[in-house]
Amino acid sequence: MSKNKIYFSIFFTTSFFVYACSIFSQQQVTNDVLDSIVKANHGAYVEISRPNSSALIALGNIFSIDKVTSTSAIIRLTENNTSLFLSYKIPYIIVPRSSYIGQVKMGMNLKSTQSWDTYPSYNEYLSMIDSFEIKYPSICKVYEIGMSKNNRRILALHISKSVNVNEGEAGFMYSSSIHGDELTGYVLLLRLADYLLKNYFVDTNIQHLIDNMDIWINPLANPDGTYYGGNTTVAGAIRENANLVDLNRNYPDPAAGNHPDGKAWQPENIAMMNFVKDHRIDLSANFHGGTEVLNYPWDTWSRLHSDDSWFRYICHKYADTAQKYGVAGYFSSYDDGITNGYAWYRITGGRQDYMNYFIRSREVTIEISDFKTPDANELPAFWEANYRSLIEYMKQGLTGIYGTVKDSSTNTPIAAIVTVLNHDIDHSEILTDTITGSYRRLIDQGKYDIVYSANGYFSKTISNVILSRDTLINLNIILRIDTTISIKNNSIFSFKVFPNPSNDVLYIKLESPNNLEKTYNITNIWGVSVSSGNFSTNEFQINITNYVQGLYYLSLKQNNNKKTVPFVVTKNNHK
């Protein structure tokens, strides 16, 4: 028996059964019936009485929890885990999945799809995405994030006044349907892209967003799950991907490690991880369905994010506006439409925590509809309730403290860390853009001391920075190179690296050469060595053509002395 299974069994033996049966007035179906339903439908949902917090955490470490209320928990079972669930002998009832409340009307051509009261077929989805770039080529470009397990395209629309050039603008991303059957956000994000593009030349607010942001809209993060029943319908949509893996439990986790679900990273998530590492994302949100609430970090830790008050503020702004324009009761549950993730129920391996911890972005999860795939005729009402909130949330990406960090001598951008003293914890400090040196620190109102630091430079502290909500402050920072040189055995060791940034060849020149053997090592920002070797001349070069753009560190060692300098790899074409 596995460690998780033992742990889970202990909790349910000692604490669960005092709660069991309170919701089970219906006759429990047999295990054989459950097994047959799972096989026929590629999964099933079961409802159990809600256990105590410790048991619920143990449950979430093993199974995919679909929904939690004050009295019950709904678990998604697949062919991969049903027998394990049954082995625990937990009382349950089978419940209908919360996907459909009416017709799943499909749009089979561009005209019908852009009526916004249908779900697009896969081919019409691709056609619509392409049509945006064709119609608005100066401000819209289709970007292929990667491919799904079944070779469906994972796409993002890049919307900006300069889609081919990195100008250091604020990075923003909306993404939907990492769970393939949670599709309200899928259609709303397609409509949002259409709305932004159509209004760029007529609405000054929209123009301001597009002129000052790199906007990324990924309407469909799990195409195989959405079109599990075929490319012409979403009626067979499932939560998982084609490997029956829950993608929102499959990311590296700050607390539970690289593979909290015990499964290899799935191709859809690998593609997304590569994308967000290669692009600046300051603020983002991912859309789910099954309830109506904005979920903010952390999901994996009980302790709060350093920017907890700011997260609660922006989430309430979204929910309040949606309440105003939605039907009665919309976004009114939980804490008036918002919840801390861990306080609701813990998950590990979620994308939200991955973005906030490993990418140092700011992301929330928006559960946008009680039903995962509502009647298609209801989609316009969801748009009416949410589109103002969608725009207002984007505007938050243009608040806070922003600017550039550059070298005092050359005025070239520096890859730096921006830290708020006595505030930042758990990777909440941010990194400057490695190409432009730009940064944006989204943060709540208050008075702050901010430290700017970079490898090879003297740090600088800006004290008593006072910020109000929904405003921004510009701080452009100049750092001086740290000329302190390590001296051992009366030997002074220094060198130059140029050009910096570079996109093809890096040149190294020793300024105090000698004839001793010398070595070099290059590491990326995560400390992984990407190149190393020996050199004998006092001037040499390293080919970096195949390096991924970003920040690197070059270390040279000579006569037991070691010195490290940062350098930046750029690419000619901005992705």
Side-chain angles (χ1 to χ4, degrees), residues 90-133:
I90 304 168
Y92 67 90
I93 58 173
I94 295 177
V95 293
R97 59 178 173 173
S98 59
S99 293
Y100 310 122
I101 59 172
Q103 60 175 321
V104 182
K105 184 170 62 173
M106 300 299 299
M108 293 302 176
N109 56 63
L110 197 57
K111 183 178 180 179
S112 65
T113 301
Q114 290 189 315
S115 66
W116 308 115
D117 60 354
T118 66
Y119 292 99
S121 68
Y122 176 66
N123 289 333
E124 285 310 311
Y125 164 58
L126 298 183
S127 296
M128 186 184 297
I129 290 287
D130 288 339
S131 74
F132 291 139
E133 180 178 335

Side-chain angles (χ1 to χ4, degrees), residues 150-202:
N150 286 344
N151 292 317
R152 290 187 176 95
R153 300 171 70 195
I154 304 169
L155 301 173
L157 286 169
H158 183 195
I159 300 174
S160 177
K161 69 174 173 55
S162 53
V163 290
N164 294 308
V165 181
N166 183 351
E167 294 185 330
E169 297 165 324
F172 182 90
M173 181 170 70
Y174 275 139
S175 177
S176 184
S177 305
I178 190 174
H179 289 152
D181 60 346
E182 299 174 10
L183 295 178
T184 310
Y186 175 28
V187 177
L188 262 58
L189 289 191
L190 286 170
R191 189 166 183 177
L192 176 65
D194 182 71
Y195 181 87
L196 293 173
L197 294 169
K198 282 182 176 177
N199 285 280
Y200 176 67
F201 296 104
V202 297

Side-chain angles (χ1 to χ4, degrees), residues 227-362:
Y227 295 102
Y228 198 78
N231 285 344
T232 60
T233 183
V234 299
I238 63 172
R239 179 184 180 92
E240 303 81 14
N241 73 345
N243 288 329
L244 298 182
V245 173
D246 187 333
L247 297 180
N248 204 43
R249 306 293 187 273
N250 185 245
Y251 275 94
D253 187 85
N258 278 341
H259 300 282
D261 61 352
K263 299 178 176 64
W265 292 329
Q266 297 299 292
E268 296 87 352
N269 285 357
I270 292 173
M272 185 61 75
M273 287 190 285
N274 289 336
F275 172 78
V276 297
K277 287 177 182 176
D278 201 33
H279 297 83
R280 173 182 172 182
I281 307 294
D282 297 302
L283 179 64
S284 58
N286 72 89
F287 287 85
H288 288 246
T291 190
E292 295 162 359
V293 69
L294 278 85
N295 178 119
Y296 56 92
W298 300 100
D299 286 328
T300 193
W301 280 317
S302 61
R303 62 181 179 265
L304 300 178
H305 193 282
S306 67
D307 295 318
D308 180 73
S309 63
W310 177 81
F311 272 115
R312 287 188 282 109
Y313 171 69
I314 66 169
C315 287
H316 271 307
K317 284 199 72 171
Y318 187 107
D320 290 349
T321 304
Q323 290 170 10
K324 180 178 178 180
Y325 293 98
V327 298
Y330 189 54
F331 272 106
S332 61
S333 299
Y334 305 87
D335 174 16
D336 198 25
I338 76 171
T339 184
N340 170 266
Y342 187 94
W344 185 16
Y345 66 95
R346 186 197 189 207
I347 72 164
T348 58
R351 202 192 82 174
Q352 174 179 276
D353 282 4
Y354 173 79
M355 291 292 292
N356 284 296
Y357 185 84
F358 293 100
I359 304 302
R360 301 170 190 260
S361 179
R362 299 296 183 268

